[in-house]
Amino acid sequence: MSDWTDRAEEFPPQWSPRPEPPGPSFAPPPSTRTAPLPGMPSPAAPGRYDSGPPTRGGRGSRNRRRLSGRRRFLRTTAMLASALLLAGAGTYVWADTRLNKEVDLGALGGRVPPGEGTTYLVVGSDSREGLSEQDRKDLNTGSAEGRRTDSVILLHTGASGTTMLSLPRDSWVTLPSYVDPDTGRSYRAAPNKLNAAFSLGGPDLLVRTVERNTGVRVDHYAEIGFAGFVGVVDAVGGVDLCLGRPVRDKDSGADLPAGCQTLDGAEALAFVRQRKQEARGDLGRTRNQQRFLAALARKAATPSTLADPSKSFPTLEAGLDTLIVDEGTELPDLMGLFEALRKATGGGGRQLNVPVADPDLRTPKGSAVKWDDRRARALFTALRQDRPVG
């Protein structure tokens, strides 16, 4: 793949309030409104109150009761709204302080020029952080240390709509020159698999590699690990998915029958990780990942989930536990990412795989996925310029 480098109330007249005991006075300024004297018309606007003194059981009494009820309703509504606003503000502050901003996109060199719209690089990593030894065994994650990518997605949103573009982790790309963060050793630019960029240089090298090979500027970075993924699925009560055939994979632990079913966190993780029985290997897995994300987005966005604190708060907490973002990402940016994901997977956008010329390219690094140069360039150009994707 070649490089890309361009670019306040009154009293009724028939009673008086009990006098207050002596003490400091904090009464508000006297009201200019007065109760009507007997025989005098009411100062209220015509049609709202009856004129003349109210009589027991008359319309004036009913209107006052109606007014009192209305005031109680408005007062209660205002109190509830205030409580919700305070709760929302509290949740906002809490969530914002939980964001793990460990990626500094502003410090990266050799980047492509900014494009139109907003592009997120969404990464599902195989980080075991937050998982106990028993968790690792139950989830079939193995015990490998470090972080590798299980999914790499460019999520673009703008005037031309929303596009979710999966980049196979085995894509054969050119890694830019970099310095090993552990040894300090420098390496020249060289061809390798996309997943190698993440394992060798973390998010920084992955962002630079994606930009170099697509020409699309990454505006925000978001990464979630195994524990966060499982937690989100379990917090929403599982995700409904219909399978046309059984899915079994010893490596990922997937053992799912054909038919419609609700997947819990562990089952969902096994499903999106498996690829051995996919005829198209890594490309088949990216399709499964997009399909599952669509089902998860639909479940997480249902009124029953959003209006139920017992689901929405755990969902948010579970997602934040292993979420890593860039330093420029604030909570509104994260909400924008979720909204873009919902649109892309809910029928209001497009879900694509990068065009492929050879899904089984033989390389010194093993089998890799070779992009279709001409079609891929056209797709990346459309994203960069925020034009409709064909």
Side-chain angles (χ1 to χ4, degrees):
M1 187 73 192
S2 57
D3 303 343
W4 287 65
T5 54
D6 53 330
R7 308 236 5 207
E9 190 167 347
E10 64 182 60
F11 303 109
Q14 59 266 55
W15 61 278
S16 299
R18 181 179 298 175
E20 295 291 334
S25 174
F26 298 98
S31 172
T32 57
R33 297 180 59 191
T34 59
L37 296 176
M40 293 186 66
S42 167
R48 184 171 181 181
Y49 301 107
D50 290 317
S51 63
T55 57
R56 186 177 300 274
R59 286 185 296 172
S61 176
R62 288 196 300 272
N63 282 332
R64 288 185 182 279
R65 286 197 297 270
R66 187 180 299 115
L67 174 61
S68 177
R70 185 182 297 114
R71 283 175 174 158
R72 283 197 300 271
F73 172 77
L74 293 174
R75 190 181 300 118
T76 301
T77 302
M79 291 173 64
L80 287 172
S82 298
L84 287 172
L85 286 172
L86 288 172
T91 302
Y92 182 97
V93 173
W94 167 81
D96 193 56
T97 58
R98 290 284 296 274
L99 288 178
N100 182 4
K101 305 178 181 181
E102 69 174 54
V103 179
D104 187 0
L105 296 179
L108 302 182
R111 304 188 65 192
V112 300
E116 301 294 327
T118 302
T119 301
Y120 303 84
L121 181 60
V122 184
V123 176
S125 81
D126 67 356
S127 170
R128 277 78 173 166
E129 184 175 350
L131 296 175
S132 66
E133 287 299 325
Q134 187 61 46
D135 290 334
R136 297 184 183 193
K137 181 178 179 180
D138 294 342
L139 297 174
N140 283 77
T141 66
S143 57
E145 298 301 325
R147 288 147 62 187
R148 281 157 293 277
T149 58
D150 253 43
S151 61
V152 181
I153 296 172
L154 279 176
L155 184 63
H156 178 85
T157 183
S160 295
T162 303
T163 300
M164 182 167 68
L165 176 64
S166 291
L167 305 178
R169 69 176 194 171
D170 287 341
S171 296
W172 191 243
V173 295
T174 299
L175 272 59
S177 59
Y178 69 98
V179 176
D180 189 307
D182 296 323
T183 66
R185 182 179 175 182
S186 298
Y187 292 88
R188 294 180 178 179
N192 208 327
K193 295 182 181 181
L194 182 60
N195 188 46
F198 191 70
S199 60
L200 294 173
D204 292 358
L205 185 56
L206 179 62
V207 170
R208 293 177 57 220
T209 300
V210 168
E211 290 192 347
R212 173 169 183 160
N213 289 271
T214 67
V216 178
R217 175 86 166 213
V218 173
D219 299 299
H220 293 291
Y221 176 91
E223 173 195 335
I224 190 167
F226 283 167
F229 180 88
V230 172
V232 169
V233 175
D234 285 338
V236 299
V239 173
D240 301 327
L241 203 65
C242 294
L243 303 176
R245 57 184 173 83
V247 175
R248 296 184 175 89
D249 187 322
K250 181 179 178 181
D251 291 341
S252 74
D255 187 10
L256 306 171
C260 297
Q261 55 207 288
T262 300
L263 306 187
D264 62 21
E267 293 168 331
L269 180 62
F271 174 71
V272 299
R273 293 184 64 215
Q274 67 85 22
R275 66 171 178 171
K276 293 294 180 63
Q277 74 171 52
E278 297 299 326
R280 304 187 70 198
D282 204 28
L283 296 176
R285 174 162 61 177
T286 60
R287 288 293 187 190
N288 286 338
Q289 291 169 348
Q290 290 186 352
R291 182 182 173 195
F292 182 82
L293 284 175
L296 177 58
R298 286 194 298 268
K299 182 65 175 288
T302 57
S304 60
T305 298
L306 297 176
D308 184 354
S310 67
K311 290 183 179 180
S312 57
F313 281 96
T315 302
L316 182 59
E317 184 171 17
L320 292 174
D321 276 345
T322 63
L323 182 68
I324 295 173
V325 298
D326 65 276
E327 290 188 355
T329 295
E330 303 295 339
L331 204 54
D333 300 308
L334 200 58
M335 294 301 101
L337 186 156
F338 295 152
E339 176 64 12
L341 181 62
R342 185 190 66 79
K343 287 181 179 178
T345 61
R350 295 162 295 277
Q351 301 175 57
L352 306 173
N353 259 320
V354 64
V356 170
D358 187 351
D360 190 22
L361 178 69
R362 299 302 173 182
T363 76
K365 303 294 184 179
S367 176
V369 175
K370 184 181 186 305
W371 297 350
D372 183 312
D373 241 6
R374 182 184 60 80
R375 293 167 58 212
R377 281 181 176 273
L379 174 58
F380 298 144
T381 299
L383 290 180
R384 188 173 67 252
Q385 298 177 355
D386 194 27
R387 293 192 284 102
V389 176

